[in-house]
Amino acid sequence: GALLALVLVVSLRFVPESPRWLLSRGRVEEAREALTLTVGREEVDKMFIELSHEVGTSGHPSSAGGFAPAIGPEQPAATLHSVWVALALAMSVSCCGIDAITYYSARIFEEAGIKNEFDRRLALVLLGFVKTGMIIVGAGNVDVVGRKFLLILSNASMAAAGFLFLIPGLSAKNPSFCIAGVLCYAGSFSVGVGPCFYLLATEIWPTHL
């Protein structure tokens, strides 16, 4: 984990800043350079004009930002609605139990009757593959089927995994049911609730925020 964080710190030095943010701060040339790195020289002029129009017609000073402007009395009801949607999504991610299932999956497998440490580690490796695979599936379909559908499918599948596999498996000390429950629960989270929250949390706000 520490090694990956170090790699990210070094790599992020080569990642361009957000063109929209640079434009909102009046750093036009830097914004054009960042946009060129992002979309290529063929599309940069078109994208730059669109982005400049968005930032220029937002009607808010370039220094605006932070959380306070989003809940100020001058904001329309739609913006306040976005605040509550973002908070509700954040609460759903925090309270859905995915962290407990992920962090204590080895203990869950042990309580289900898997006493062999090698078997438990093998199940954990399988869990990692399932989560990674479902993230790829979700990322590839989020613009095809839509955010709402993936969120509904993800939450419904998580509930089904818990009630049909995980809880009965723990009650009956059935390793197969518990492994299936943990894999289905984590996979269901990874295909919808996990990635869609971070995507929606950035899409529901007006440009000036």
Side-chain angles (χ1 to χ4, degrees):
L3 180 60
L4 178 60
L6 181 60
V7 172
L8 287 174
V9 167
V10 175
S11 302
L12 284 172
R13 293 179 58 86
F14 303 98
V15 175
E17 183 58 84
S18 164
R20 178 179 278 107
W21 182 82
L22 290 171
L23 272 177
S24 70
R25 297 308 188 268
R27 296 158 64 176
V28 178
E29 290 304 319
E30 293 179 63
R32 178 179 285 276
E33 292 177 7
L35 201 59
T36 302
L37 292 173
T38 305
V39 301
R41 297 188 180 278
E42 295 78 9
E43 296 289 330
V44 65
D45 291 332
K46 177 183 176 182
M47 292 293 296
F48 188 79
I49 293 173
E50 293 178 358
L51 207 56
S52 300
H53 179 73
E54 288 182 13
V55 175
T57 59
S58 62
H60 293 260
S62 62
S63 60
F67 187 71
I71 58 175
E74 73 281 358
Q75 292 296 337
T79 301
L80 297 178
H81 180 70
S82 297
V83 173
W84 294 115
V85 170
L87 290 176
L89 287 171
M91 288 292 293
S92 69
V93 172
S94 300
C95 299
C96 70
I98 187 62
D99 290 333
I101 287 181
T102 301
Y103 296 151
Y104 295 101
S105 52
R107 180 67 181 273
I108 293 173
F109 295 147
E110 185 177 4
E111 290 293 325
I114 305 177
K115 302 302 182 183
N116 187 286
E117 185 177 355
F118 177 79
D119 291 339
R120 292 199 300 271
R121 291 184 177 182
L122 189 61
L124 292 176
V125 171
L126 183 58
L127 175 62
F129 277 112
V130 169
K131 290 177 65 177
T132 304
M134 295 308 290
I135 289 173
I136 295 174
V137 171
N141 288 278
V142 67
D143 287 326
V144 177
V145 300
R147 285 76 163 144
K148 182 177 179 180
F149 176 81
L150 278 182
L151 282 173
I152 294 174
L153 177 65
S154 180
N155 281 287
S157 300
M158 288 164 63
F163 286 114
L164 298 180
F165 293 103
L166 194 53
I167 295 176
L170 283 172
S171 301
K173 301 289 185 179
N174 188 311
S176 299
F177 264 61
C178 277
I179 292 177
V182 169
L183 295 181
C184 289
Y185 197 95
S188 299
F189 175 86
S190 299
V191 79
V193 174
C196 283
F197 161 66
Y198 297 101
L199 185 60
L200 282 171
T202 61
E203 290 181 336
I204 60 178
W205 303 101
T207 302
H208 67 271
L209 294 177

